Amino acid sequence: MEGEESVDSGQVDAACEQSDPVGESPACQAREVLQRVGDKWSVYVIDLLGQGTMRFTELHRTIDGITSRMLTVTLRGLERDGIVTRTIHPVIPPRVEYALTPMGRTLLHTIGQLVAWSHAHLPEIEAARAAYDERHPRQ
């Protein structure tokens, strides 16, 4: 995984804001949702939570390359959108668990296909990258 370029704050991109300052058009709302569920970290989180409820530390340990801050931002966004639930158990120290909501579970088939596709085509993608880099050397 490469470095984290930006933090998705859940805001609609500038083009959508200019055409719809209130952000209420269906196209802008759909774009915002797609930004959330299509984010690389969200895909990993949803895929992992498809296996069952997990604690923050389990997710952080399992997702290679994600920072604690990015995992927190991702989980909050998914919770806000109704895809993930956060349960705090009243013990000392508090135990926090994350799980997919019923709506979040409807994403599993699609995301599972995307993850499987990426694994199946890794050798081809690496070969294409190498060929491209050979044709376009960095300066």
Side-chain angles (χ1 to χ4, degrees), residues 5-134:
E5 292 83 34
S6 65
V7 173
D8 178 9
S9 64
Q11 298 297 314
V12 182
D13 66 17
C16 203
E17 287 174 356
Q18 291 171 0
S19 66
D20 181 16
V22 180
E24 292 185 10
S25 78
C28 289
Q29 290 174 333
R31 186 176 305 170
E32 186 177 353
V33 172
L34 288 171
Q35 285 174 334
R36 170 86 58 229
V37 298
D39 172 77
K40 69 180 177 181
W41 300 123
S42 294
V43 168
Y44 286 130
V45 168
I46 293 166
D47 187 56
L48 283 170
L49 290 178
Q51 300 169 25
T53 301
M54 297 180 86
R55 295 178 69 179
F56 183 92
T57 52
E58 293 175 282
L59 288 165
H60 189 247
R61 188 176 42 241
T62 306
I63 303 173
D64 187 36
I66 194 168
T67 64
S68 292
R69 165 126 170 76
M70 183 54 68
L71 180 56
T72 299
V73 168
T74 300
L75 287 166
R76 284 183 184 159
L78 292 170
E79 182 182 8
R80 181 173 183 254
D81 288 346
I83 296 167
V84 166
T85 60
R86 178 177 185 254
T87 304
I88 303 170
H89 297 278
V91 295
I92 305 293
R95 191 175 84 234
V96 180
E97 295 179 327
Y98 296 89
L100 291 177
T101 63
M103 182 176 64
R105 295 195 76 71
T106 66
L107 288 168
L108 287 176
H109 178 71
T110 303
I111 285 180
Q113 287 181 321
L114 184 59
V115 170
W117 179 90
S118 66
H119 286 289
H121 293 281
L122 277 175
E124 296 165 79
I125 293 167
E126 289 299 320
R129 287 177 178 172
Y132 177 91
D133 291 347
E134 192 173 305

